[in-house]
Amino acid sequence: MSNLLIRNIHLLIQAETEQRSLVRGKEMSQIPMLSNAYVLVENGRIKAFGSMANCPERADQVLDATGRIVLPAWCDSHTHIVFAATREEEFVDRIRGLSYEEIAERGGGILNSARKLQKATEEELFEGAWGRLQEVMSMGTGAIEVKSGYGLTLESELKMLRVVRKLKEKSPIPVKATFLGAHAIPMEYKSDREAYITLIIKEMLPRVAGEGLADYCDVFCDKGFFTPEETIRILEAGWKWGLKPKIHANELGLTGGVQAGIAQRAISVDHLEYTSDVEIEALKQSNTLPTLLPGCAFFLGIPFAPARQMINAGLPVVLATDFNPGSCPSGNMPFVISLACAKMNMLPEEAINAATLNGAKAMELEKEYGTIAVGKVANLIITRPMMSLAGLPYAFGSKVVEQVVVKGNLV
Ligand code: NIG
Ligand code: FE
């Protein structure tokens, strides 16, 4: 038995005595907050927390958090951290005036990543993804979802998902795997999309599910990618194999992706840069979570999703990074939180809720992660000294996360 005591915590955030499974609407601006507090961790889980007046005297390891904030580690529910190469050249092409869609149309974008990934070995891919996982953990990520979708052939999609499986086995933080064979139509299928959709449904899904390689099924339902009708067929096939949907929708236009996801009882619909009142109303009538990825809007220069309207309408907004080589080559959750506050008018409390508890819910991990509660896994962030919670998004781009605890161990 080993324990860790964090004492003299200036502000302890998101510590709850009654467990919640998510927060929506107005609740998002409320966050449990204790000042002058302690947290005791035993065998990797939260054993106790409270005011310093009741702090235990001894522990195997003691950390002093004077002036610092302690909060649950981020739950990043949307990433693509398995990839073979960066796409710096496309970044420069965009600076020169090409759009993300124009680059994709000429065979760049996702297809560029797929060509490179098809040539890479499983070991090379694992090494790259492992490095990215370490990097995001050092910035406070304590649970993560990872997608396939740069394979686009049966063999390469399986290769990617085996890399994700290896991440799951080796990682000290939980990893959820999502099959995204429907990320783009490969060049050789451009004149016969139906053949690629058949390949996904008839060959990829059975192998992926048969080998237990995925938790979720994703489709890029958007302008120039998959239509809502195609999306629904693929998600229905995924359900038959026990894979719940989590989809990409409304990044490039008002394309009906949100409605398709809701119709398929998706856990979450992600992106939503293009969202109207109709989508917000449909989300209100559903259990599907709107997941916003402001790092992508920032990097591509597209509109930010209307987070404010969504929260005002009572929705449970989620924040994630979308870490990938094309639209958001960063897995920096603190920066995502800064963007959410500065560009989407989310309050610091709302952004922290969206990146912890609601992020955990979007990966079905809310019983074990996402808040500080007795019995939950002790994945925690200790910030640098700061006055208030707002100091976190305020100091954008700075190293606000000083120490990270994963299962009770310092990273
Ligand atoms: O979430 N939008 C689709 N997929 C990724 C980007 C893929 C890429 O450009 O490599 C996203 O933004
Ligand atoms: Fe994505």
Side-chain angles (χ1 to χ4, degrees):
M1 206 155 75
S2 75
N3 59 18
L4 164 73
L5 175 66
I6 311 176
R7 43 182 289 139
N8 293 327
I9 301 167
H10 168 43
L11 293 173
L12 177 64
I13 303 293
Q14 202 67 309
E16 51 182 17
T17 41
E18 253 176 61
Q19 284 196 26
R20 300 151 301 157
S21 68
L22 90 171
V23 279
R24 60 175 78 242
K26 274 202 179 68
E27 296 161 358
M28 288 194 71
S29 61
Q30 310 294 316
I31 202 156
M33 193 180 299
L34 270 175
S35 57
N36 199 23
Y38 78 91
V39 176
L40 180 68
V41 175
E42 198 169 274
N43 295 325
R45 289 183 183 263
I46 307 293
K47 174 78 174 169
F49 64 83
S51 131
M52 272 308 286
N54 304 316
C55 181
E57 304 231 320
R58 275 180 292 277
D60 300 328
Q61 197 184 356
V62 179
L63 287 178
D64 186 274
T66 300
R68 291 159 171 82
I69 295 179
V70 171
L71 66 157
W74 317 124
C75 296
D76 189 353
S77 65
H78 184 140
T79 83
H80 311 243
I81 60 168
V82 180
F83 56 84
T86 62
R87 304 214 305 262
E88 290 153 39
E89 67 289 0
E90 294 180 3
F91 172 48
V92 178
D93 287 342
R94 282 194 298 102
I95 294 170
R96 290 188 195 282
L98 284 181
S99 70
Y100 180 79
E101 286 143 287
E102 282 164 340
I103 292 169
E105 272 156 30
R106 32 173 232 194
I110 295 164
L111 299 184
N112 178 4
S113 280
R115 281 190 297 275
K116 289 174 177 149
L117 185 133
Q118 285 160 7
K119 293 194 201 106
T121 65
E122 213 173 296
E123 291 68 35
E124 287 163 347
L125 292 173
F126 177 77
E127 208 178 307
W130 184 251
R132 284 170 211 121
L133 187 72
Q134 301 305 309
E135 190 202 5
V136 301
M137 279 170 59
S138 76
M139 297 187 285
T141 297
I144 195 167
E145 180 258 17
V146 184
K147 300 174 192 294
S148 71
Y150 292 131
L152 308 184
T153 64
L154 173 63
E155 274 322 308
S156 290
E157 282 295 309
L158 292 173
K159 177 168 72 179
M160 276 191 91
L161 288 168
R162 288 184 190 122
V163 172
V164 182
R165 180 171 63 193
K166 207 158 146 195
L167 289 174
K168 278 191 190 218
E169 290 164 1
K170 297 211 164 174
S171 163
I173 67 169
V175 175
K176 290 280 185 161
T178 301
F179 168 61
L180 177 55
H183 201 186
I185 303 272
M187 271 303 175
E188 53 279 28
Y189 290 94
K190 280 269 141 86
S191 54
D192 190 4
R193 330 171 36 93
E194 195 45 40
Y196 186 62
I197 293 162
T198 304
L199 178 72
I200 292 172
I201 294 176
K202 293 261 156 64
E203 293 185 47
M204 292 185 185
L205 269 171
R207 283 291 296 281
V208 166
E211 293 187 29
L213 287 169
D215 302 299
Y216 303 112
C217 183
D218 197 338
V219 177
F220 187 8
C221 180
D222 225 315
K223 215 165 76 189
F225 291 85
F226 292 84
T227 66
E229 295 69 33
E230 292 166 346
T231 301
I232 285 173
R233 283 170 57 207
I234 294 164
L235 297 182
E236 251 166 23
W239 268 116
K240 292 206 177 103
W241 289 101
L243 302 183
K244 295 180 189 171
K246 270 175 78 67
I247 72 164
H248 285 74
N250 294 46
E251 175 187 358
L252 307 172
L254 281 169
T255 49
V258 169
Q259 289 84 343
I262 291 170
Q264 282 297 305
R265 290 166 293 134
I267 302 250
S268 68
V269 284
D270 303 18
H271 274 288
L272 316 191
E273 286 84 356
Y274 290 86
T275 298
S276 74
D277 295 349
V278 180
E279 278 77 19
I280 292 179
E281 196 47 43
L283 283 163
K284 271 172 72 175
Q285 310 301 324
S286 79
N287 289 319
T288 297
L289 302 169
T291 297
L292 312 184
L293 313 166
C296 170
F298 166 77
F299 192 69
L300 293 186
I302 61 177
F304 286 87
R308 195 65 267 148
Q309 282 102 295
M310 290 178 183
I311 296 173
N312 291 350
L315 294 179
V317 166
V318 181
L319 286 170
T321 62
D322 200 17
F323 194 175
N324 76 77
S327 68
C328 185
S330 162
N332 188 330
M333 281 295 281
F335 183 56
V336 164
I337 289 160
S338 290
L339 286 174
C341 296
K343 294 293 181 187
M344 302 197 300
N345 276 319
M346 287 175 72
L347 292 166
E349 293 81 2
E350 291 171 335
I352 304 289
N353 270 318
T356 56
L357 178 55
N358 286 2
K361 178 74 176 175
M363 295 185 273
E364 300 178 288
L365 289 173
E366 76 283 3
K367 292 200 170 68
E368 297 262 74
Y369 300 87
T371 66
I372 297 171
V374 172
K376 278 196 176 186
V377 178
N379 288 4
L380 306 169
I381 289 169
I382 305 172
T383 67
R384 69 182 189 188
M386 57 179 69
M387 242 163 54
S388 72
L389 193 60
L392 223 153
Y394 171 80
F396 77 92
S398 287
K399 197 177 178 301
V400 285
V401 172
E402 198 169 78
Q403 284 183 301
V404 180
V405 174
V406 167
K407 283 193 192 160
N409 300 309
L410 277 173
V411 172

